[in-house]
Amino acid sequence: MQIIRFADLKAEPWRNGGGVTRQLASRHSAAGGEDGQGGAWDWRVSIADVTRAGDFSPFPGMERLLTVIEGDLLLLTVGGAEHPVEKYRPFRFDGGAATAGALPTGDIRNLNVITRAGAYKAYTSIIELSKKRSKPLWDGQLGVLLQGQATVADASDEPVALDRYDAVMGSDSSTPEILGRGFLAVVSIDPVED
């Protein structure tokens, strides 16, 4: 069972200096390269803090799926069109499009999923946890505790407490299951079939 502790993640500044991000998971690309633009990864899941309005870093050839997980509203302008992105409502857009964000209600934190367009498709679902029925995480999924209290266990391990923004990697062999009260983001990343 793989748990990624948010408290252990290093905050890295955005390339354009507009915020910081903490990477939860990624899949490196066989294409190589030095960053997302050059092809260093096929997909990446991260949590970013946005503390000032401004441009977002461009990721040509990638698709972005952004979910506000703390704060109320991000006013996103993508390719000249304005989109109000509310808390817990995932928004998909072209990573290569000129993108800027405004913060009408103050700082926000968002969950970012960036995938190589045409190779992978990402989905983010926000679910309410239950103490009576566990939420399994399968291979290709990542669960992130957004708020509340929860534990995770699989067939071979005792339940382990999760802290806010801790992530759990899914698995078909051990199938970690999350129980608790609160909200969980479930990120699914699927290869695109030809």
Side-chain angles (χ1 to χ4, degrees):
M1 185 166 64
Q2 185 180 357
I3 300 172
I4 301 148
R5 296 289 186 184
F6 184 74
D8 295 338
L9 300 177
K10 180 183 174 190
E12 298 182 10
W14 293 2
R15 284 182 292 192
N16 67 9
V20 297
T21 192
R22 292 169 179 86
Q23 182 173 292
L24 296 172
S26 66
R27 177 189 166 117
H28 291 281
S29 170
E34 295 182 8
D35 57 29
Q37 290 179 320
W41 36 263
D42 283 330
W43 57 260
R44 182 182 79 174
V45 181
S46 62
I47 292 178
D49 295 328
V50 186
T51 56
R52 69 176 189 193
D55 292 338
F56 277 41
S57 300
F59 289 94
M62 309 297 265
E63 183 176 73
R64 297 183 72 160
L65 182 60
L66 181 148
T67 307
V68 174
I69 58 174
E70 192 173 318
D72 294 321
L73 178 68
L74 172 64
L75 201 53
L76 209 57
T77 301
V78 181
E82 197 171 76
H83 304 274
V85 182
E86 298 175 329
K87 186 175 183 179
Y88 292 175
R89 297 194 179 270
F91 178 73
R92 185 182 309 274
F93 61 101
D94 178 353
T99 303
L103 306 169
T105 59
D107 296 353
I108 63 146
R109 176 170 275 172
N110 60 54
L111 177 65
N112 281 302
V113 187
I114 304 176
T115 55
R116 186 166 306 287
Y120 290 89
K121 193 77 170 178
Y123 303 90
T124 299
S125 302
I126 308 299
I127 64 161
E128 188 168 1
L129 290 169
S130 167
K131 285 190 171 184
K132 295 181 180 177
R133 189 177 39 166
S134 62
K135 171 61 183 164
L137 294 172
W138 308 105
D139 189 41
Q141 292 185 323
L142 179 76
V144 182
L145 182 63
L146 300 180
Q147 67 181 55
Q149 298 178 334
T151 60
V152 61
D154 63 17
S156 61
D157 291 319
E158 291 295 313
V160 176
L162 296 174
D163 293 322
R164 191 174 194 189
Y165 303 128
D166 284 353
V168 179
M169 295 293 292
S171 167
D172 284 344
S173 57
S174 62
T175 316
E177 298 189 351
I178 298 177
L179 276 171
R181 286 269 186 241
F183 289 93
L184 182 77
V186 178
V187 176
S188 302
I189 299 173
D190 301 326
V192 174
E193 302 294 332
D194 289 332

